[in-house]
Amino acid sequence: MSVIMATAGYDHTIRFWEALSGICSRTIQHADSQVNRLCISPDKRFLAAAGHTTVRLYDIKSSNSNPILQFEGHTNNVTGVGFHCEGKWMVTSSEDGTVKIWDTRTGVVQRDYPHGSPVNDVVIHPNQGELISCDQSGNVRIWDLGENKCTHQLIPEDDVPVRSVTVATDGSMLVAGNNLGNCYVWKMIQNRDVTQLMPVTRFQAHLKYITRVLLSPDVRHLATCSADHTAKIWSVDEKKFTHETTLHGHQRWVWDCAFSADSAYLVTACSDHYARLWELSSQQIIRQYNGHHRGAVCVALNDYSER
């Protein structure tokens, strides 16, 4: 199980895959709700599945298909989920207008941050001390966990929903993607314990909704997914993002993506029911994962070498 890969979506199932063979190794029923997002814990022990109002935590190595813990407290779709680097806490975002931090041992809410608008995504800064979230009203907010407050509010475009945010693994950069297909990039500068943000650039990545933006682990590429039935790869430069390639072959909206640890491969999840593994150097589909009978909207991949 050195490579853990899972997909889920509107057919109320979570599927685990042997990434290289394309064989589905296990299916978990996720009753009562579609799955909006998936996240694998850093130690590869747990899978968090964000559904309508709850997040369920599954033991990846157990044959028991029931969740070992259920996080209840949101009142609308859970749109984002992420784990602290040591798995001590989990963060979620929701269309109920809140970002919540949960104790992963007890399932209890530890923090609750109001956005005032449906929240579309949340990520944890690599310093583990800040969260970045974005919402339907067009805000990007940075929350300082030490100060327990919002320290930055960015509004790239008035009243244009920001769909997705991503932070570089080295904490150097923040990228946000919105409903007009535009990407906004800020340089993140750590000044003692304070993060400063400097606008770097904006560019139009797609002509339709952006559904996901994701910086590669080596911070040399940005992947963007869209309602235009494509995913695109951009080369990351200090000042400029150059279009490298468009991944054609999806039949419907591309909802989510995940890079391999070496940044050489990308997995995409699409409304056409398929997940696909792309080799970025050749732009070829190496594997297609068949089995979902409705849209696949989320994918999680952890192929980092065992620590």
Side-chain angles (χ1 to χ4, degrees):
M1 293 287 278
S2 60
V3 177
I4 312 277
M5 181 180 149
T7 57
Y10 288 119
D11 63 1
H12 294 207
T13 65
I14 299 165
R15 292 178 177 268
F16 287 92
W17 304 90
E18 292 176 9
L20 294 177
S21 70
I23 294 168
C24 178
S25 57
R26 184 180 173 200
T27 303
I28 294 175
Q29 299 302 316
H30 188 272
D32 320 323
S33 164
Q34 81 281 1
V35 183
N36 302 319
R37 293 295 291 276
L38 292 171
C39 188
I40 299 163
S41 63
D43 62 7
K44 301 187 189 177
R45 284 186 57 199
F46 304 109
L47 177 75
H52 175 49
T53 58
T54 60
V55 177
R56 293 174 187 162
L57 195 66
Y58 296 93
D59 186 332
I60 291 173
K61 295 186 166 73
S62 163
S63 57
N64 182 0
S65 58
N66 295 317
I68 56 169
L69 203 56
Q70 190 149 298
F71 300 84
E72 297 180 359
H74 282 299
T75 58
N76 207 331
N77 275 317
V78 183
T79 55
V81 59
F83 283 101
H84 170 256
C85 64
E86 292 171 6
K88 292 177 180 170
W89 48 266
M90 183 179 81
V91 65
T92 56
S93 60
S94 169
E95 289 175 1
D96 67 11
T98 66
V99 169
K100 297 184 193 299
I101 293 178
W102 310 76
D103 186 318
T104 46
R105 287 158 298 204
T106 62
V108 173
V109 176
Q110 295 178 317
R111 304 265 181 97
D112 203 326
Y113 296 122
H115 246 264
S117 177
V119 189
N120 291 323
D121 197 11
V122 65
V123 292
I124 303 170
H125 190 290
N127 65 17
Q128 307 294 305
E130 289 172 299
L131 308 174
I132 298 97
S133 53
C134 61
D135 70 27
Q136 202 61 16
S137 296
N139 300 293
V140 177
R141 295 179 193 267
I142 300 184
W143 307 87
D144 186 309
L145 302 183
E147 299 282 326
N148 202 22
K149 67 179 186 187
C150 176
T151 53
H152 298 80
Q153 180 183 359
L154 308 162
I155 306 173
E157 291 179 71
D158 281 333
D159 296 324
V160 179
V162 180
R163 187 61 47 191
S164 178
V165 284
T166 179
V167 177
T169 50
D170 60 3
S172 63
M173 184 183 302
L174 165 64
V175 182
N178 73 14
N179 274 13
L180 292 180
N182 295 326
C183 285
Y184 285 81
V185 184
W186 294 268
K187 189 174 182 182
M188 302 182 88
I189 303 157
Q190 294 287 139
N191 198 342
R192 297 193 198 87
D193 291 337
V194 182
T195 295
Q196 293 178 305
L197 292 163
M198 288 176 56
V200 174
T201 187
R202 74 168 278 268
F203 62 97
Q204 182 151 36
H206 298 269
L207 296 174
K208 294 188 176 178
Y209 277 81
I210 286 178
T211 50
R212 182 75 62 238
V213 291
L214 186 65
L215 285 161
S216 62
D218 64 7
V219 200
R220 292 171 62 182
H221 306 280
L222 173 75
T224 58
C225 303
S226 171
D228 68 5
H229 302 191
T230 70
K232 293 184 181 181
I233 306 294
W234 307 81
S235 69
V236 174
D237 194 301
E238 189 77 351
K239 306 260 185 319
K240 196 166 122 216
F241 281 63
T242 312
H243 177 249
E244 277 189 5
T245 181
T246 300
L247 303 177
H248 293 288
H250 306 96
Q251 302 301 311
R252 294 191 185 167
W253 286 38
V254 187
W255 283 101
D256 198 9
C257 64
F259 277 100
S260 60
D262 63 4
S263 304
Y265 300 88
L266 187 78
V267 184
T268 54
C270 182
S271 287
D272 62 14
H273 308 185
Y274 297 116
R276 295 172 175 88
L277 175 66
W278 303 81
E279 182 181 51
L280 296 179
S281 61
S282 66
Q283 304 163 31
Q284 297 298 309
I285 299 170
I286 299 183
R287 284 286 170 272
Q288 193 158 281
Y289 305 93
N290 315 338
H292 287 292
H293 54 267
R294 292 187 70 186
V297 300
C298 50
V299 58
L301 173 68
N302 186 331
D303 65 331
Y304 285 85
S305 54
E306 300 286 350
R307 287 197 285 278

